[in-house]
């Protein structure tokens, strides 16, 4: 997946017209804990609390230009993709219907409704919700926004262009990026090429949703069951073939982290930086902690890709630390 310099610069203009660049900080306590210089890219600081907003903005900018007749869109999500579409649709005066599985995060659902989204609950997991969204798109003649698309990746890449540009004098040796359906990883790879750095990129998936790790090892798209309780943003059962191609070409490795490791990373982020991260948002740090011996003394980057965790769930994660 390649983009011209002009395409990336246009994406930056589109994104930055709606939000400022997010910060990247090196946190002394995290660095001390890891035994490395640790830089965190704070996508939990966007207007919807996650990196997905960037892709929504570029997707809708292109849609408005190329298909101005579209007045209503539909998609499926576990939350952050839906918020990004709601935010961008509102900026363009479009309607948006989002399908979520039953049992989805109540606070993410509320955030989507607050952005004007029509919410439909269907199925027990993301894949079932996605298939229902496809049926509704055909039935009601709605434009269906996919969860992985070139225009989404173009927008997401701006996060990592910001990151690599800010650290251009001393790029990190490695960057850990969580993988849900792969737009974040693909965006990081695009930005690495755009900025001309040699940083290795390691994808991180849930040990309870291993489709992309299994696909990386098999060299082709492989389905895998989902049982994660905490990392809903990585709860992928059916990988996207185009995304798998990018990961096969660009990843140094794809590793798994358990819900317990993710919970510990959420607690560490809060105690060491007072940032709130959802499960997927803390997965990159969980991966870096798991591999700390490999990267000791190096410069390590992690994406804090989102902070949209339900209050009760986060309270439970913090309480487990107090009782352990």
């Amino acid at each position: 997946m390649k983009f011209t310099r002009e395409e990336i610069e246009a994406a930056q203009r589109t994104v930055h017209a709606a939000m400022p660049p997010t910060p990247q900080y090196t946190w002394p306590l995290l660095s001390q804990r890891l035994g490395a210089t640790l830089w965190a890219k704070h996508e939990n600081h966007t207007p919807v609390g996650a990196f997905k907003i960037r892709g929504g903005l570029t997707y809708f900018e292109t849609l408005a230009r190329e298909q101005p007749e579209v007045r209503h869109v539909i998609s499926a999500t576990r939350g952050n993709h839906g918020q990004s579409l709601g935010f961008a649709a509102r900026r363009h005066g479009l309607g948006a219907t989002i399908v979520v599985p039953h049992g989805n995060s109540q606070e993410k659902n509320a955030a989507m409704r607050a952005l004007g989204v029509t919410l439909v609950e269907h199925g027990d997991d993301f894949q079932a919700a996605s298939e229902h969204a496809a049926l509704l798109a055909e039935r009601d003649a709605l434009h269906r926004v996919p969860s992985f698309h070139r225009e989404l990746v173009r927008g997401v890449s701006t996060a990592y262009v910001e990151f690599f540009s800010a650290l251009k004098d001393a790029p990190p040796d490695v960057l850990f990026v969580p993988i849900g359906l792969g737009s974040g990883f693909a965006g990081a790879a695009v930005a690495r090429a755009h900025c001309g750095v040699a940083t290795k990129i390691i994808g991180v998936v849930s040990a309870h949703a291993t489709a992309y790790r299994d696909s990386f090892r098999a060299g082709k798209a492989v389905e895998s069951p989902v049982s994660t309780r905490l990392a809903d943003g990585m709860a992928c059962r059916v990988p996207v073939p185009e995304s798998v191609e990018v990961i096969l070409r660009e990843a140094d490795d794809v590793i798994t982290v358990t819900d317990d490791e993710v919970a510990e990373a959420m607690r560490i982020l809060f105690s060491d930086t007072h940032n709130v991260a959802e499960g997927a948002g803390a997965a990159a740090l969980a991966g870096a902690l798991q591999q700390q011996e490999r990267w000791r003394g190096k410069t390590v980057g992690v994406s804090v890709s989102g902070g949209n965790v339900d209050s009760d769930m986060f309270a439970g994660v913090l309480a487990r630390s107090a009782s352990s």
Side-chain angles (χ1 to χ4, degrees):
M1 188 172 288
K2 295 182 179 179
F3 297 89
T4 65
R5 181 162 296 276
E6 290 71 24
E7 286 177 306
I8 298 299
E9 290 173 351
Q12 290 177 292
R13 289 191 296 271
T14 297
V15 170
H16 294 156
M19 55 169 274
T22 59
Q24 44 280 316
Y25 296 131
T26 180
W27 296 95
L29 285 173
L30 282 181
S31 294
Q32 178 179 291
R33 189 186 294 271
L34 199 66
T37 301
L38 190 287
W39 283 94
K41 178 60 170 171
H42 284 286
E43 290 299 281
N44 57 323
H45 291 190
T46 76
V48 302
F51 78 98
K52 293 280 191 179
I53 187 174
R54 298 169 181 270
L57 288 165
T58 49
Y59 188 95
F60 274 78
E61 189 275 333
T62 300
L63 182 67
R65 212 169 1 93
E66 296 183 351
Q67 299 182 54
E69 71 280 4
V70 171
R71 304 311 306 159
H72 200 112
V73 304
I74 188 168
S75 192
T77 188
R78 290 301 302 260
N80 292 337
H81 176 64
Q83 288 184 73
S84 82
L85 299 189
F87 185 93
R90 173 178 277 186
R91 284 179 66 84
H92 288 275
L94 305 184
T97 296
I98 302 295
V99 184
V100 301
H102 292 292
N104 197 53
S105 161
Q106 291 304 302
E107 291 180 21
K108 286 181 180 178
N109 288 355
M112 284 184 278
R113 289 190 177 103
L115 288 165
V117 163
T118 299
L119 206 70
V120 175
E121 295 183 77
H122 181 89
D124 295 325
D125 64 5
F126 168 78
Q127 190 62 32
S130 180
E131 290 166 3
H132 189 62
L135 291 174
L136 294 180
E138 184 173 356
R139 186 193 75 184
D140 299 334
L142 303 177
H143 177 90
R144 185 183 176 207
V145 182
S147 298
F148 185 90
H149 186 276
R150 189 176 189 275
E151 281 303 300
L152 297 175
V153 172
R154 185 168 70 94
V156 169
S157 73
T158 62
Y160 298 100
V161 171
E162 292 169 10
F163 182 71
F164 289 129
S165 297
L167 304 180
K168 63 180 181 297
D169 294 333
D173 296 287
V174 63
L175 173 66
F176 290 85
V177 180
I179 298 175
L181 285 174
S183 64
F185 184 94
V190 166
R192 177 174 63 181
H194 176 81
C195 296
V197 299
T199 301
K200 296 181 185 299
I201 305 177
I202 293 180
V204 183
V205 304
S206 171
H208 319 287
T210 60
Y212 277 97
R213 192 281 307 271
D214 298 345
S215 298
F216 180 73
R217 290 186 173 180
K220 61 180 181 180
V222 176
E223 295 185 24
S224 179
V226 171
S227 60
T228 177
R229 297 168 286 102
L230 191 55
D232 59 345
M234 299 192 295
C236 170
R237 174 162 58 90
V238 181
V240 178
E242 296 88 346
S243 178
V244 171
E245 289 177 12
V246 174
I247 291 166
L248 288 172
R249 187 173 63 248
E250 304 286 353
D252 181 71
D253 198 3
V254 177
I255 63 174
T256 64
V257 291
T258 66
D259 277 357
D260 285 345
E261 288 175 306
V262 167
E264 179 65 7
M266 292 168 72
R267 289 190 288 268
I268 287 170
L269 270 170
F270 189 71
S271 67
D272 289 6
T273 77
H274 289 111
N275 273 268
V276 174
E278 61 189 282
L285 177 60
L289 289 164
Q290 185 188 99
Q291 291 209 339
Q292 67 184 106
E293 289 305 318
R294 179 182 177 187
W295 302 104
R296 187 171 295 277
K298 304 292 188 180
T299 300
V300 175
V302 298
S303 170
V304 185
S305 62
N308 299 321
V309 57
D310 277 5
S311 303
D312 288 347
M313 177 177 284
F314 191 55
V317 166
L318 296 180
R320 287 201 295 277
S321 174
S323 62
S324 61

